Amino acid sequence: MAVPRVFISSTFYDLVQVRYNIGDFIKNLGYEPVMHEKSAITYTQNTELENDCYNELSSCDIVVCIIGNNFGTQSQVSELSITMEELKTAIKSKKKIYVFIAKDVFIENRTYEQNKDNGSFKSAYTDDLKIHEFILNLKKERKIVISSFETTDEITNTLKLQFAGLFQSFLQEKARVTNEKITYDLAETAENIKSLINEMVEHNQAFISHFDGSAFAVNMTLQYIRKKLGLEKVSIYAKNLDALDEFMKFLGFESVDVDDFIDDERKYVRNEFDKKSTLILKSCLLDEENNFKDIRNKEILDNSVIWIETSVEDDLPF
């Protein structure tokens, strides 16, 4: 499992014990301390040793820099020390950086800032004024955490709080991303459902259109006709008279001519062995295009849908 790599940057001989203590603290957290004295830096032998340090730092996640009283070894690439160049590399690489400055140096730096331009300032706590100048430049970097320290415990306690804050931030960000993903997924699901509904509506419309004018669906007029025919358990869909003609033919009825002077629009007759059934439909049941109206007035339906059933014997002349 990958763990955070923490690069420890400082001068060596004056801060060796501080380095070891911080290294042990980081290791106890389950992180990997990267320290040149612990052989954690790969030396390529193809370049200066300090360049190998800079390259190794670029692969780390966090940089802890301790600034004490000594300037240390000067870099081969600038007038700064190797420790300062390491910190510049970390800033350039946008690493998470924690800087700890010895308290006496930290306090003296304020005095240096106020008197540096008079040319007569002498430091009581550093062996090179470049340390103070470097600290002033660090203070301009807004994303660097800078603290003073007197003991190693102060450094480890600060790091403990900072690392806990980082972890909480990570959890909150993870939760935010998760919530955003859930919201996105819900929106996408809703969109998919909407699309399916629209598709179903289109299919239903296509289905109805395909059977339009056949024998399937209902309005109140057709329900009334259905009851007159004694087909309570059957649903009838007939958009117009042509469709009903087809259905009535299927039931054994035939359409007969009606008198032009009366209000009958259709007359269906079915002759059986012992009886004669007649269904008469008035013209008020239909619109201008001969489609059935959805009439909900029972009185109108009673007067417009007429069912006559007579015995065959009634038609005999004796």
Side-chain angles (χ1 to χ4, degrees), residues 3-8 19-41 56 60 62 64:
V3 298
R5 305 184 75 224
V6 183
F7 190 94
I8 301 175
R19 292 172 62 85
Y20 286 160
N21 291 344
I22 294 174
D24 290 341
F25 163 76
I26 290 170
K27 192 172 182 180
N28 289 334
L29 288 177
Y31 302 167
E32 179 187 349
V34 179
M35 307 161 64
H36 69 83
E37 66 269 32
K38 297 289 187 179
S39 301
I41 294 174
E56 192 71 31
C60 293
I62 298 171
V64 176

Coordinates of all heavy atoms in Angstrom, one line a residue, residues 3-8 19-41 56 60 62 64:
V3 N 2.1 4.9 0.8 CA 2.0 5.8 2.0 C 2.6 7.1 1.7 O 3.4 7.2 0.8 CB 2.7 5.2 3.2 CG1 2.1 3.8 3.6 CG2 4.2 5.0 3.0
P4 N 2.2 8.2 2.4 CA 2.7 9.5 2.1 C 4.3 9.5 2.4 O 4.7 9.0 3.4 CB 2.0 10.4 3.1 CG 0.7 9.7 3.4 CD 1.1 8.2 3.3
R5 N 5.0 10.2 1.5 CA 6.5 10.3 1.7 C 6.7 11.7 2.1 O 6.3 12.7 1.5 CB 7.2 10.0 0.4 CG 6.9 8.6 -0.2 CD 7.7 8.4 -1.5 NE 9.1 8.0 -1.1 CZ 10.1 8.5 -1.7 NH1 10.0 9.4 -2.7 NH2 11.4 8.1 -1.4
V6 N 7.5 11.8 3.2 CA 7.7 13.1 3.9 C 9.2 13.4 3.8 O 10.0 12.7 4.4 CB 7.3 13.2 5.3 CG1 7.5 14.5 5.9 CG2 5.8 12.8 5.4
F7 N 9.6 14.4 3.0 CA 11.0 14.8 2.9 C 11.4 15.7 4.0 O 10.7 16.7 4.3 CB 11.2 15.5 1.5 CG 12.7 15.8 1.2 CD1 13.3 14.9 0.4 CD2 13.3 16.9 1.6 CE1 14.6 15.1 0.0 CE2 14.7 17.1 1.3 CZ 15.3 16.2 0.5
I8 N 12.5 15.4 4.7 CA 13.0 16.2 5.8 C 14.2 17.0 5.4 O 15.2 16.4 5.0 CB 13.3 15.4 7.1 CG1 12.1 14.6 7.5 CG2 13.8 16.3 8.2 CD1 12.3 13.6 8.6
R19 N 16.4 16.0 13.4 CA 16.0 15.3 12.2 C 15.6 13.8 12.6 O 14.6 13.3 12.1 CB 17.2 15.2 11.2 CG 17.5 16.6 10.6 CD 18.8 16.5 9.8 NE 18.7 15.6 8.7 CZ 18.2 15.9 7.5 NH1 17.7 17.1 7.2 NH2 18.1 15.0 6.5
Y20 N 16.4 13.2 13.4 CA 16.1 11.8 13.8 C 14.8 11.7 14.6 O 14.0 10.8 14.3 CB 17.3 11.3 14.7 CG 18.5 10.9 14.0 CD1 19.7 10.8 14.6 CD2 18.5 10.7 12.6 CE1 20.9 10.5 13.9 CE2 19.7 10.4 11.9 CZ 20.9 10.3 12.5 OH 22.0 10.0 11.9
N21 N 14.6 12.7 15.5 CA 13.3 12.6 16.2 C 12.1 12.8 15.3 O 11.1 12.1 15.5 CB 13.3 13.8 17.3 CG 14.3 13.5 18.4 OD1 14.8 12.4 18.5 ND2 14.6 14.5 19.2
I22 N 12.2 13.7 14.4 CA 11.1 14.0 13.4 C 10.9 12.8 12.5 O 9.8 12.3 12.2 CB 11.3 15.2 12.6 CG1 11.3 16.5 13.5 CG2 10.3 15.4 11.5 CD1 11.6 17.8 12.8
G23 N 12.0 12.2 12.1 CA 12.0 11.0 11.3 C 11.2 9.8 12.0 O 10.4 9.1 11.4
D24 N 11.6 9.6 13.3 CA 10.9 8.6 14.0 C 9.4 8.9 14.2 O 8.6 8.0 14.1 CB 11.5 8.5 15.4 CG 12.9 7.9 15.4 OD1 13.3 7.2 14.3 OD2 13.7 8.1 16.3
F25 N 9.1 10.1 14.4 CA 7.7 10.5 14.6 C 6.9 10.2 13.3 O 5.8 9.7 13.3 CB 7.6 12.0 14.9 CG 6.2 12.6 14.7 CD1 5.2 12.4 15.5 CD2 6.0 13.4 13.5 CE1 3.9 13.0 15.3 CE2 4.8 14.0 13.3 CZ 3.7 13.8 14.2
I26 N 7.5 10.6 12.1 CA 6.8 10.3 10.9 C 6.7 8.8 10.6 O 5.6 8.4 10.1 CB 7.6 11.0 9.7 CG1 7.4 12.5 9.8 CG2 7.1 10.6 8.3 CD1 8.3 13.3 8.9
K27 N 7.7 8.1 10.9 CA 7.6 6.6 10.7 C 6.6 6.0 11.6 O 5.9 5.1 11.2 CB 9.0 6.0 11.1 CG 9.2 4.6 10.6 CD 10.6 4.1 10.8 CE 10.8 2.7 10.4 NZ 12.2 2.2 10.5
N28 N 6.4 6.5 12.9 CA 5.4 6.0 13.8 C 4.0 6.3 13.3 O 3.0 5.6 13.7 CB 5.6 6.5 15.2 CG 6.8 6.0 15.9 OD1 7.3 4.8 15.5 ND2 7.4 6.7 16.8
L29 N 3.8 7.3 12.5 CA 2.5 7.6 11.9 C 2.2 6.7 10.8 O 1.0 6.6 10.3 CB 2.5 9.0 11.4 CG 2.5 10.2 12.4 CD1 2.5 11.5 11.6 CD2 1.2 10.1 13.3
G30 N 3.2 5.9 10.3 CA 2.9 5.0 9.2 C 3.3 5.6 7.9 O 3.1 5.0 6.8
Y31 N 3.9 6.8 7.9 CA 4.4 7.5 6.7 C 5.9 7.1 6.5 O 6.5 6.5 7.3 CB 4.3 9.0 6.8 CG 2.9 9.5 7.1 CD1 2.7 10.9 7.5 CD2 1.8 8.7 7.0 CE1 1.4 11.3 7.7 CE2 0.5 9.2 7.2 CZ 0.3 10.5 7.6 OH -0.9 11.0 7.9
E32 N 6.4 7.5 5.3 CA 7.8 7.2 5.0 C 8.6 8.5 5.1 O 8.5 9.4 4.3 CB 7.9 6.7 3.6 CG 9.3 6.3 3.2 CD 9.4 5.9 1.7 OE1 8.4 5.7 1.1 OE2 10.6 5.9 1.2
P33 N 9.6 8.6 6.1 CA 10.5 9.7 6.1 C 11.6 9.6 5.1 O 12.2 8.5 4.9 CB 11.0 9.6 7.6 CG 10.9 8.2 7.9 CD 9.8 7.6 7.2
V34 N 11.8 10.6 4.4 CA 12.9 10.6 3.3 C 14.0 11.5 3.8 O 13.9 12.7 3.9 CB 12.4 11.1 2.0 CG1 13.5 11.1 0.9 CG2 11.2 10.2 1.5
M35 N 15.2 10.9 4.2 CA 16.3 11.6 4.8 C 17.6 11.0 4.1 O 17.7 9.8 4.0 CB 16.4 11.4 6.3 CG 15.0 11.7 7.0 SD 14.9 11.0 8.6 CE 16.2 11.8 9.5
H36 N 18.5 11.9 3.7 CA 19.7 11.5 3.0 C 20.5 10.6 3.9 O 21.2 9.7 3.4 CB 20.5 12.7 2.5 CG 21.1 13.5 3.5 ND1 22.3 13.2 4.1 CD2 20.7 14.7 4.1 CE1 22.6 14.1 5.0 NE2 21.6 15.1 5.0
E37 N 20.6 10.9 5.2 CA 21.4 10.1 6.1 C 20.9 8.7 6.4 O 21.5 7.8 6.9 CB 21.7 10.8 7.5 CG 20.4 11.0 8.3 CD 19.7 12.3 8.0 OE1 19.7 12.7 6.9 OE2 19.1 12.8 9.0
K38 N 19.6 8.4 6.0 CA 19.0 7.1 6.1 C 19.0 6.4 4.8 O 18.2 5.4 4.6 CB 17.5 7.3 6.6 CG 17.4 7.9 8.0 CD 17.9 7.0 9.1 CE 17.6 7.5 10.5 NZ 18.1 6.6 11.6
S39 N 19.8 6.8 3.9 CA 19.9 6.2 2.5 C 18.5 6.2 1.8 O 18.2 5.2 1.1 CB 20.4 4.8 2.6 OG 21.7 4.8 3.2
A40 N 17.7 7.2 2.1 CA 16.4 7.2 1.4 C 16.4 7.9 0.1 O 15.4 8.1 -0.6 CB 15.4 7.9 2.3
I41 N 17.6 8.4 -0.3 CA 17.7 9.2 -1.5 C 18.6 8.4 -2.5 O 19.7 7.9 -2.1 CB 18.4 10.6 -1.3 CG1 17.4 11.4 -0.4 CG2 18.7 11.3 -2.6 CD1 18.0 12.7 0.0
E56 N 14.7 13.6 -5.7 CA 14.0 12.8 -4.8 C 12.8 13.5 -4.1 O 11.7 13.0 -3.9 CB 14.9 12.2 -3.7 CG 14.4 11.1 -2.9 CD 14.2 9.8 -3.6 OE1 15.0 9.6 -4.5 OE2 13.3 9.1 -3.3
C60 N 8.2 13.3 -3.5 CA 7.6 13.2 -2.1 C 6.3 14.0 -2.1 O 6.0 14.9 -3.0 CB 8.6 13.8 -1.1 SG 10.0 12.8 -0.9
I62 N 5.0 15.6 1.0 CA 5.1 16.6 2.0 C 6.6 16.9 2.3 O 7.4 16.0 2.2 CB 4.4 16.1 3.3 CG1 3.0 15.8 3.1 CG2 4.6 17.2 4.4 CD1 2.3 15.2 4.3
V64 N 9.1 18.8 5.1 CA 9.2 19.5 6.4 C 10.6 20.1 6.4 O 11.6 19.4 6.3 CB 9.1 18.5 7.6 CG1 9.4 19.1 8.9 CG2 7.7 17.9 7.6

